[in-house]
Amino acid sequence: MTDLAAVKAALKTQAVETPSWAYGNSGTRFKVFAQQGVPRSPKEKLDDAAQVHAVTGVAPTVALHIPWDKVDGSDGYTDLAKHAEERGLRLGAINSNTFQDDDYRLGSICHPDATVRRKAVDHLLECVDIMDATGSADLKLWFADGTNYPGQDDIRARQDRLAEGLAEVYARLGEGQRMLLEYKLFEPSFYTTDVPDWGTAYAHCLKLGPKAQVVVDTGHHAPGTNIEFIVATLLREGKLGGFDFNSRFYADDDLMVGAADPFQLFRIMYEVVRGGGLTAEVAFMLDQCHNIEAKIPAIIRSVMNVQEATAKALLVDRGALAQAQVAGDVLGANAVVMDAYNTDVRPLLREVRDEMGLDPDPVAAYARSGWAEKIVAERVGGQQAGWGA
């Protein structure tokens, strides 16, 4: 039997980090679609994020993306952190950007030109400076580096350049700070990708040291990949730094987490629970773009999807499962897992929210708040935030 009190306690301590860029305009590879009421500054993004946390109670941190969230002045980031604190938030992971500059056409940290590599590493060091100013603990790195043609560049040399650049940034990290290295199967390069999979990311993090860990983006895998196996392995090795949660049908669509395959999200969260990863040491971050749906309600729903998958994972009767596994009862073991997955946990989560002093229905609570109408009326003029594609 599962201890419901323990399940509730775990759900109350879970935290899901929302991404600043999800509040801005985004779109497909071909067009960015504008919406009314979109933030025009990092502070307005935080104002929106505060609404998500207010109705869910489990979204206390916001990831920044540099330079999309760059602010001016020597005290700009300190002021931004204060703005977040005043709204009951903290600034989370600092995400670098080495993919939107003309100099990075042939790569950034792996570029054959030392001048371009220096520029990329300097940007990463700047991000660590921003971490110092904001109190952020995590530097999140994703590189679009790779090649499109055989012979275009030396594959091994690019790994050497990657290792050298990462080592310099790693040495700059302060006490309590860490580097989270993300991988991606392909895109924008289609012959080789310099960090294409968890094995490559793991190998570099292992060599760097304990402050370097791997980020699992749930959209960055080949179809049919057993993501929960990757999660279990990284947890076993102490190298799972966090998740970028989203959902996809093909590859990296960045749809709402749990939208395409909620069963997969449940299986991932079970391995997290099983491996002792439901702690602050594993960052549960959303990495999504909301192009045709309203942004704040979509983020609220995404947080709820993570909660529902987590609740189901916590409900797995691990004692009964272990007995069935030892007995070789294949169908019995599977039934234990499926019983948990098929449980309607929405009433349980409504109880949890009520005990936390929250509205049991976060989506309805946001709709009643009037915030959507307020930002449409007030955010007129200026330049809307977006990822600049």
Side-chain angles (χ1 to χ4, degrees), residues 172-347:
R172 169 64 181 81
L173 295 174
E175 188 69 27
Q177 294 178 338
R178 61 181 182 168
M179 172 189 295
L180 303 182
L181 182 58
E182 183 181 352
Y183 57 90
K184 188 174 184 179
L185 181 65
F186 68 92
E187 193 197 38
S189 299
F190 291 91
Y191 175 63
T192 65
T193 301
D194 290 314
V195 190
D197 51 39
W198 72 275
T200 306
Y202 173 75
H204 281 283
C205 289
L206 190 63
K207 187 172 183 179
L208 286 166
K211 291 183 179 181
Q213 294 182 299
V214 180
V215 169
V216 175
D217 185 304
T218 52
H220 288 184
H221 303 87
T225 298
N226 191 314
I227 301 175
E228 56 268 33
F229 174 83
I230 298 170
V231 170
T233 302
L234 290 173
L235 272 171
R236 182 174 180 270
E237 298 298 323
K239 280 296 185 181
L240 180 64
F243 290 93
D244 272 354
F245 277 135
N246 51 51
S247 189
R248 56 83 184 260
F249 281 100
Y250 297 101
D252 196 29
D253 299 322
D254 284 350
L255 303 177
M256 286 170 49
V257 59
D261 191 351
F263 184 46
Q264 181 188 72
L265 180 60
F266 158 75
R267 300 193 312 265
I268 290 170
M269 290 309 304
Y270 172 71
E271 291 303 332
V272 170
V273 171
R274 160 68 180 83
L278 199 60
T279 69
E281 298 303 310
V282 177
F284 299 98
M285 302 174 282
L286 302 181
D287 182 14
Q288 304 173 182
C289 293
H290 305 291
N291 306 330
I292 59 175
E293 66 271 32
K295 298 179 185 300
I296 298 175
I299 297 170
I300 293 170
R301 181 65 256 186
S302 297
V303 172
M304 294 170 67
N305 287 352
V306 174
Q307 288 182 295
E308 289 175 17
T310 305
K312 292 182 178 186
L314 289 164
L315 288 175
V316 173
D317 188 335
R318 292 170 60 183
L321 180 59
Q323 288 181 1
Q325 290 169 341
V326 170
D329 185 355
V330 175
L331 294 179
N334 178 249
V336 173
V337 173
M338 295 309 299
D339 284 346
Y341 176 68
N342 289 322
T343 301
D344 184 356
V345 296
R346 291 174 297 178

Side-chain angles (χ1 to χ4, degrees), residues 358-378:
L358 302 169
D359 191 296
D361 186 344
V363 174
Y366 174 72
R368 291 194 305 270
S369 72
W371 185 260
E373 295 79 12
K374 173 182 170 66
I375 58 179
V376 168
E378 294 182 356

Side-chain angles (χ1 to χ4, degrees), residues 24-34 253 289-292 295 387 389:
N25 284 325
S26 56
T28 67
R29 299 292 186 263
F30 310 109
K31 176 170 173 59
V32 172
F33 299 102
D253 299 322
C289 293
H290 305 291
N291 306 330
I292 59 175
K295 298 179 185 300
W387 37 253

